[in-house]
DNA sequence: TTGAAAGCGATACCAC
DNA sequence: GTGGTATCGCTTTCAA
């Protein structure tokens, strides 16, 4: 026998009418009291009666009813497909949520794994969010942005490698990272540079532009770029290392620090000297890079702060007309250690 | 000048009444058509007219209005404070979301960073979720569970180290992990065992029970347990390594593989032989452990599958009376490699 | 200072 | 087959 013998299962959810009845006032008065409506003066005894009644019944207002009446919500929707991994991403995410809530928004992540563009947009639009901040995990189209805006979204913001028509796109130029890495390697005299392309689904959104940036940086200097597909496991890395000498590369940009660790280990196990025979550089500047031997060179990434983005959202909600710009969205700089 | 010259900003959001007007039918008919109501037969031409009108207006139904009318939602709320990091957690999370959506639930993560028990529960209850699955990042009390249930939540499930009164608690016994690690070390002849306690906020929910498990395992065999506070940076690790000899430990359970990597590096830099002088074991069985030298021993953790948990949620929603049990929630087993 | 009532958008019963 | 209409819970204008 449970401690709460289904008292809750049967009993209907209390409404403001129940509170009004118990307090012996009208529903209007309940609303005034619980929302501290300043335009109306309610006597202190009444206020107390209402509050006590609400407390006793365990009354919680119904957000749907409220926003239906109000004609708008304060919900900011963050679609997520794959839960982002990595400290950079999660810190940014936490900051954003925190800052938005301080601005009195309700932050909601909508699990959209497996939803495609328009289908996803419809699902989000049903909730009538006042703003949508997408991280590019779900591909948005011009049309889906329109659906969202027509459903009342004041701000549709995409962060990601690609620009999305109709939305306020904050382009995080991933190509800058690849470019940065390759420039660093070239500056240190390398001329035949591998670029690791992770095979993990979802990462191509980042890896493709990074490769493109690598190519751009290489083309200026006449260095050769060689894409290297790699899945995140030891076998794949060992296989790549086994054919390393025939690739005739003298450097590799390994997508990020974790892939760099994997590949560097495999290279060392195959008796390829790092950085003597092959220089290695990662990206993200994780702590683990400093723990490796040789210490891993990397590309440090500065992301826009969540607070900054929250202010952008708020601005767009309050003044849908003007679209403020954020420029220094993402910075990248090479950090030289020992592996390059 | 923008491509969409604020056409959307002014134009009101289309409702089913607008669709009805455009299609020349009543709102009822619109509802029937768009919901494929089988109890009512609508002629094909009418259906087409309605669909076309909806399409043309970009009509998206209003979830709040619908659920207000229906008296319930299909929303499963997953409160999140810190975005969970680590592949184990995120895979589980993705699975759960995916499985719930297949069961036709709307999965919503509610960013609750900085909210405390009752305040959080109220905020969640306003959305009238049909189920809440909490990962223990926000401390729930008996009272907050009641608030949720009284607001109509059919299932309140907590996953985490602690049991929560009133909720259906799936206790993930973290102590098993610490116990497992220490048993392994003891079995290999170690008697003075350090247990790393990460100082990162939020982790104490996991580290405390793991320490407790370590103590339990040690007490049977007379081994000594020494808690070792450590923050996740090189300085802290170096400081710990510097006073390592005076601690007179012959083994350490380093909380997880990442902390193990950090500490092992510091120990090696301080000329402490691993595993000769000190054995090291981590937890989580991450790939990185296999890349270290010596290869890192670890505790492999099997989590309940998201699909399994989704079915539990669904069951509780459909039959609020009975509460099915899940037992083999989390398994832990030591994996011996080279560091221990 | 308080109450009555309209209305937000969608649905489902009951007539026609 | 299709159309009126009451209803969900809440806020807010207007009257008392």
């Amino acid at each position: 026998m449970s401690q709460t013998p289904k008292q809750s299962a049967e009993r209907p959810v209390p409404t403001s009418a129940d509170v009004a009845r118990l307090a012996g006032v009208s529903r209007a008065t309940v609303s005034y009291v619980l929302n501290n409506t300043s335009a109306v003066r309610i006597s202190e005894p009444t206020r107390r009666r209402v509050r006590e009644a609400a407390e006793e019944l365990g009354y919680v207002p119904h957000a749907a009813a409220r926003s239906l009446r109000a004609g708008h919500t304060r919900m900011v929707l963050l679609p997520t497909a794959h839960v982002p991994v990595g400290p950079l991403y999660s810190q940014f995410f936490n900051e954003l949520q925190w800052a938005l809530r301080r601005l009195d928004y309700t932050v909601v992540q909508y699990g959209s794994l497996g939803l495609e563009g328009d289908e996803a947009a419809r699902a989000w639009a049903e909730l009538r969010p006042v703003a949508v901040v997408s991280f590019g995990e779900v591909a948005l189209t011009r049309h889906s942005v329109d659906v969202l805006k027509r459903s009342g979204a004041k701000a549709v913001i995409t962060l990601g490698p690609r620009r999305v028509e109709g939305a306020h796109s904050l382009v995080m130029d991933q190509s800058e990272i690849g470019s940065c890495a390759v420039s660093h390697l070239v500056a240190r005299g390398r001329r035949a540079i591998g670029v690791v392309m992770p095979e993990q689904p979802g990462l191509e959104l980042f890896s493709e532009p990074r490769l493109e940036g690598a190519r751009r940086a290489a083309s200026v200097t006449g260095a050769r770029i060689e894409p290297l597909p790699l899945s995140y496991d030891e076998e794949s890395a060992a296989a790549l290392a086994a054919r390393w000498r025939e690739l005739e590369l003298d450097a590799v940009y390994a997508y990020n620090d974790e892939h760099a660790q994997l590949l560097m280990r495999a290279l060392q196990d195959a008796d390829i000297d790092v950085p003597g025979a092959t220089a290695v550089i990662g990206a993200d500047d994780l702590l683990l890079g400093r723990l490796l031997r040789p210490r891993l060179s990397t590309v440090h990434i500065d992301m826009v702060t969540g607070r900054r983005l929250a202010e952008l959202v708020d601005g767009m909600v309050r003044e849908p007309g003007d679209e403020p710009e954020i420029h220094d969205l993402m910075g990248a700089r090479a950090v030289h250690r020992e592996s390059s």
Side-chain angles (χ1 to χ4, degrees), chain A:
Chain A
M1 205 174 330
S2 162
Q3 288 211 22
T4 40
K6 64 177 61 177
Q7 54 175 26
S8 47
E10 321 297 343
R11 193 170 47 179
V13 180
T15 72
S16 75
D18 297 321
V19 177
R21 199 156 24 233
L22 183 58
V25 298
S26 74
R27 285 154 63 224
T29 306
V30 171
S31 176
Y32 293 141
V33 171
L34 296 182
N35 295 304
N36 278 314
T37 308
S38 51
V40 172
R41 304 244 73 92
I42 306 278
S43 68
E44 199 46 53
T46 305
R47 305 184 91 91
R48 243 211 356 267
R49 284 216 315 286
V50 170
R51 282 196 234 278
E52 284 170 3
E55 178 68 25
E56 183 177 336
L57 294 175
Y59 169 72
V60 175
H62 193 309
R66 169 182 291 160
S67 63
L68 184 57
R69 169 65 224 232
H72 61 260
T73 69
R74 302 254 324 148
M75 180 189 298
V76 176
L77 193 91
L78 310 179
T80 50
H82 305 277
V83 172
V85 277
L88 246 67
Y89 219 84
S90 45
Q91 194 205 337
F92 170 70
F93 226 80
N94 284 333
E95 270 185 21
L96 177 60
Q97 293 204 9
W98 167 263
L100 283 172
R101 199 140 45 69
R102 298 222 48 172
L103 291 167
D104 200 35
Y105 292 96
T106 296
V107 182
V108 152
Q109 279 173 258
Y110 191 105
S112 308
L113 192 62
L115 290 182
E116 290 296 324
D118 288 1
E119 188 190 6
R122 277 186 61 90
W124 305 339
E126 291 195 352
L127 297 179
R128 297 290 190 271
V130 70
V132 176
V133 181
S134 164
F135 294 80
E137 304 164 1
V138 177
L140 284 186
T141 64
R142 173 60 194 255
H143 182 247
S144 40
V145 173
D146 284 348
V147 167
L148 286 170
K149 288 201 167 168
R150 224 172 297 136
S151 82
K154 296 266 190 290
V156 179
I157 297 179
T158 63
L159 264 81
R162 292 200 198 118
R163 176 165 292 283
V164 177
E165 255 194 304
H168 188 96
S169 303
L170 299 183
V171 179
M172 301 216 290
D173 192 359
Q174 297 284 328
S175 75
E176 190 62 23
I177 298 169
S179 161
C180 214
V182 166
S183 297
H184 170 83
L185 294 171
V186 166
R188 302 192 66 80
R190 311 288 170 158
R191 285 296 175 270
I193 301 172
V195 174
V196 167
M197 304 294 284
E199 288 180 328
Q200 188 181 335
L203 252 46
E204 60 279 356
L205 267 171
F206 300 92
S207 58
E208 290 290 351
R210 289 183 187 191
L211 173 60
E212 193 230 319
R215 288 215 159 96
R216 200 175 57 225
S219 70
V220 194
T221 58
R224 172 166 70 94
I225 292 293
E226 183 80 34
L228 304 171
L230 177 69
S231 64
Y232 192 62
D233 55 60
E234 281 185 291
E235 294 70 33
S236 178
L240 179 55
R243 61 190 185 89
W244 195 257
R245 289 177 216 276
E246 66 200 59
L247 285 168
E248 298 189 326
L249 300 172
D250 58 13
V252 59
Y253 158 53
Y255 180 71
N256 69 6
D257 289 350
E258 288 171 326
H259 284 79
Q261 176 183 25
L262 174 62
L263 180 56
M264 200 158 85
R265 174 82 273 151
L267 290 177
Q268 289 174 331
D269 285 350
D271 275 326
I272 316 258
D273 182 48
V274 176
T278 298
V280 177
I281 186 168
D284 287 357
D285 196 7
L286 300 185
L287 175 57
L288 76 84
R290 267 167 290 182
L291 304 178
L292 302 181
R293 294 297 180 269
R295 289 170 207 269
L296 183 66
S297 295
T298 191
V299 177
H300 182 92
I301 300 170
D302 290 303
M303 289 248 289
V304 62
T305 64
R307 211 185 104 261
R308 190 87 184 290
L309 182 54
E311 284 162 3
L312 174 68
V313 170
D314 189 46
M316 288 178 68
V317 168
R318 300 162 86 107
E319 298 289 347
D322 50 51
E323 307 216 335
E325 289 293 328
I326 291 190
H327 288 297
D328 52 339
L329 233 193
M330 210 188 66
R333 62 170 199 277
V335 177
H336 175 60
R337 296 215 179 97
E338 299 165 358
S339 68
S340 64

